[in-house]
Amino acid sequence: MKEYRVGIIGCTGMVGQRFVTLMENHPWFHLTAVAASARSAGKTYEEAVSSRWAMTTPIPEMAKGLVILDAEADAEKLAGQVDFVFCAVDMKKEEIKALEEKYAKLECPVVSNNSANRWTEDVPMVVPEINADHIRIIEQQRKRLGTRRGFVAVKSNCSLQSYVPALTPLLKYGLDKALVCTYQAISGAGKTFARWPEMVDNCIPYIGGEEEKSEKEPMKLWGTVEDGKFVLAQGPAITAQCFRVACQDGHMAACFMSFQEGRKPSMEQIKADWANFSGRAQELNLPSAPKQFLHYFEEPDRPQTRLDRMLENGMAVSVGRLRPDTQYDYKFVCLSHNTLRGAAGGAVLLAELLCAEGYI
């Protein structure tokens, strides 16, 4: 595989920092340029982030001396230096849409962690193990944008990465409805305990917009592309509650599910389907792909956030406590690392898919 020159827009925030760490020693991707807001432009990356570096590993040497560009004013310059960009900016939704489309029209593919374009009619929202085939709509998007290389592709909301992968191989049994409660780490809000002391010993039963995303985005992931358009899945119906909890990293979910009458699988069959579930990412042996996507724990007290969030470099999903329920058919718990599988890592995996399939 060739080496790709990569840029990161929004490089100073929590997810931007995670992107920078993931570029260190990546076998395909070489970090060439970084960009952020005008107030950071002109500084070296080390100067801009050293006082608020939130990762547990040091700032990578290859990033320290990079001079930060202005994500908006220097867009043409940045686009000319790279093969594609990751985007993780903190701006208003309409501003993000305009910025990402600006880069796409400069013939610079954008792989975005942001939510702004998730419902744009011809932008694929992809989890490579679940709906890798959706990337083919990029050809339709390029026609609309008038581009040859440029496009925007996005990853889904971070909290979906726990329960949606576990539900996906069970759709064939006529999965009818699911109730999910997510318990989401503070890094999902771009915070650390040092910067958000109110979260110590606390739980907040509200995350703006999160429940709507949790209920609606799976329908796009589970949908199809027909005649250059997305056709959303009509079910299973999902209802969600989302909580912010006092963990640094790791989104956990408690999930309840019911199947259509007469189609309920056994617990043994469900566990077998989870163990055997893989997708295009594993088929292509992409560098960031977990060898096994879903790991089931038989222990009654697993998965646990501190023990299991880094499973397979934070890119696998942990599942446990599958058991019958009194009101639904079954219930289980699941866990994913929100800034790796759920954010920057998921976007890197998507970029690897787009490179392997010839879109970048």
Side-chain angles (χ1 to χ4, degrees):
M1 181 63 69
K2 64 171 280 191
E3 185 176 274
Y4 295 82
R5 300 169 303 155
V6 178
I8 299 172
I9 306 172
C11 61
T12 59
M14 178 80 76
V15 175
Q17 292 179 22
R18 181 67 77 180
F19 272 124
V20 170
T21 65
L22 292 175
M23 292 302 96
E24 187 175 29
N25 302 318
H26 192 284
W28 299 358
F29 301 156
H30 174 67
L31 183 60
T32 305
V34 289
S37 64
R39 64 180 176 271
S40 296
K43 299 177 182 177
T44 66
Y45 189 68
E46 185 176 30
E47 290 170 343
V49 303
S50 59
S51 64
R52 53 192 176 115
W53 183 251
M55 302 293 105
T56 56
T57 55
I59 303 171
E61 288 296 326
M62 51 79 178
K64 286 181 177 179
L66 291 176
V67 177
I68 297 177
L69 300 174
D70 185 321
E72 296 184 269
D74 296 328
E76 193 166 348
K77 179 179 179 181
L78 194 158
Q81 294 178 358
V82 300
D83 295 310
F84 71 93
V85 295
F86 292 113
C87 187
V89 294
D90 183 12
M91 300 164 63
K92 293 178 181 177
K93 189 166 289 189
E94 290 306 313
E95 293 173 347
I96 294 172
K97 289 183 72 171
L99 183 67
E100 292 180 348
E101 190 164 301
K102 179 179 183 177
Y103 276 87
K105 287 183 175 178
L106 288 168
E107 298 292 1
C108 180
V110 178
V111 181
S112 179
N113 182 73
N114 297 106
S115 64
N117 269 306
R118 287 180 192 156
W119 290 99
T120 302
E121 60 181 7
D122 52 14
V123 170
M125 179 175 70
V126 177
V127 177
E129 289 89 349
I130 293 175
N131 63 330
D133 62 308
H134 284 196
I135 62 175
R136 69 179 188 269
I137 205 168
I138 287 170
E139 295 305 327
Q140 188 71 24
Q141 185 190 150
R142 282 172 168 161
K143 290 178 184 177
R144 173 176 66 85
L145 296 175
T147 59
R148 181 181 59 84
R149 291 187 68 252
F151 64 86
V152 178
V154 302
K155 51 155 289 299
S156 64
N157 189 44
C158 54
S159 64
L160 272 65
Q161 311 292 328
S162 54
Y163 61 93
V164 169
L167 292 175
T168 299
L170 309 180
L171 295 175
K172 62 188 177 186
Y173 300 116
L175 185 62
D176 184 49
K177 61 180 180 178
L179 181 154
V180 62
C181 297
T182 62
Y183 307 91
Q184 302 182 207
I186 64 171
S187 57
K191 304 284 189 179
T192 63
F193 286 113
R195 298 209 300 264
W196 199 6
E198 297 86 355
M199 272 309 303
V200 176
D201 192 30
N202 200 12
C203 177
I204 298 175
Y206 173 73
I207 305 173
E210 200 75 5
E211 289 164 0
E212 181 182 23
K213 295 174 188 175
S214 299
E215 295 170 357
K216 292 186 175 180
E217 287 187 18
M219 302 308 134
K220 186 170 181 178
L221 291 177
W222 290 330
T224 57
V225 177
E226 298 177 17
D227 300 322
K229 295 181 179 180
F230 287 111
V231 178
L232 302 182
Q234 295 304 300
I238 297 176
T239 184
Q241 283 205 104
C242 300
F243 300 77
R244 188 71 72 192
V245 296
C247 294
Q248 181 57 53
D249 295 305
H251 287 356
M252 187 171 282
C255 191
F256 303 74
M257 59 185 178
S258 288
F259 298 86
Q260 294 172 8
E261 189 172 352
R263 300 184 65 183
K264 172 184 168 183
S266 67
M267 288 175 55
E268 290 71 25
Q269 185 60 59
I270 292 172
K271 290 178 184 179
D273 287 330
W274 283 340
N276 294 323
F277 183 40
S278 64
R280 188 67 173 149
Q282 286 71 36
E283 185 179 327
L284 292 168
N285 195 28
L286 299 177
S288 299
K291 299 302 180 187
Q292 184 169 330
F293 188 23
L294 305 178
H295 291 246
Y296 186 81
F297 289 87
E298 293 288 353
E299 296 91 334
D301 60 350
R302 300 283 289 277
Q304 291 182 26
T305 302
R306 287 180 64 180
L307 295 179
D308 303 312
R309 61 190 168 197
M310 284 303 297
L311 192 64
E312 296 212 41
N313 298 313
M315 291 299 289
V317 175
S318 306
V319 191
R321 300 204 70 206
L322 177 66
R323 59 213 190 276
D325 184 63
T326 57
Q327 298 183 35
Y328 288 74
D329 287 332
Y330 295 111
K331 53 191 171 186
F332 63 92
V333 296
C334 43
L335 170 73
S336 62
H337 195 299
N338 57 296
T339 68
L340 286 168
R341 166 54 75 167
V348 171
L349 185 62
L350 172 55
E352 292 168 0
L353 173 72
L354 291 163
C355 290
E357 300 285 24
Y359 287 87
I360 297 176

